[in-house]
Amino acid sequence: MQDEYLFPEDLEDFEPDEEAAETEESAGYLGAAAFDKDFIRNGQNQVQSASPVDAWRQWCINCLSMERYASPLYSTDFGIAITEILRAATREEAEAIFRAEAKEALEADSYGRTDYVGEMTFDWDRDSVVVTVEVVGIDGATIDFEVNLEGR
């Protein structure tokens, strides 16, 4: 009986393809599982996939809906200071903090998908605010999305 190994015997001689490594580093938009508060599934209960731009939009929404430093699962660049924004003395101050935090967080995307953060509009309620954000990607793709920040 021949011994079977998980790795080939000539693994030490393997040299990664430099062109493939460069492509991986500059991947830009990547596809991912589609979700809207939970994974979106088809009739066979299979998780649907999102287009690369939709995956980026989902990442942006998640990033701006997460309190920075609240989860050990995310880097310190991920998220914004939601509590500080909602405790600001005036709406103008809260909007200025949100703009600065959102710009910093979205431009810290480790995949480099964000070119710049565009316009933001604020729709205030008594203890919450819905922010509509426009973001332009590396290839000129523009996405718009809403983030709902509410007191916690």
Side-chain angles (χ1 to χ4, degrees):
M1 185 165 117
Q2 182 180 355
D3 291 332
E4 292 185 24
Y5 295 100
L6 181 61
F7 297 105
E9 293 177 2
D10 60 347
L11 185 61
E12 292 84 24
D13 300 331
F14 175 75
E15 293 183 27
D17 182 14
E18 290 179 26
E19 188 175 313
E22 286 177 21
T23 303
E24 290 175 13
E25 290 175 13
S26 61
Y29 304 114
L30 302 171
F35 65 91
D36 181 24
K37 298 183 184 176
D38 196 2
F39 292 113
I40 297 174
R41 297 178 180 272
N42 65 13
Q44 296 175 338
N45 203 28
Q46 298 168 325
V47 175
Q48 296 293 308
S49 57
S51 73
V53 173
D54 285 338
W56 174 47
R57 175 184 289 114
Q58 292 170 351
W59 179 89
C60 290
I61 293 168
N62 192 26
C63 182
L64 298 185
S65 300
M66 174 71 66
E67 180 77 36
R68 186 175 284 189
Y69 310 118
S71 173
L73 302 176
Y74 294 104
S75 74
T76 57
D77 292 336
F78 192 84
I80 61 173
I82 296 172
T83 305
E84 181 182 347
I85 292 166
L86 294 175
R87 289 184 181 166
T90 65
R91 288 183 176 178
E92 292 77 19
E93 180 184 355
E95 290 176 8
I97 295 169
F98 183 89
R99 288 178 199 279
E101 291 274 328
K103 182 177 184 326
E104 180 182 344
L106 295 176
E107 290 179 354
D109 179 7
S110 59
Y111 292 110
R113 297 170 286 196
T114 303
D115 188 21
Y116 66 91
V117 179
E119 292 186 34
M120 294 183 204
T121 58
F122 297 83
D123 183 20
W124 287 91
D125 200 6
R126 206 167 79 185
D127 61 348
S128 66
V129 60
V130 175
V131 186
T132 304
V133 182
E134 175 189 71
V135 183
V136 178
I138 53 177
D139 63 352
T142 302
I143 58 171
D144 297 305
F145 56 89
E146 289 184 350
V147 177
N148 186 10
L149 305 179
E150 38 191 356
R152 298 181 176 178

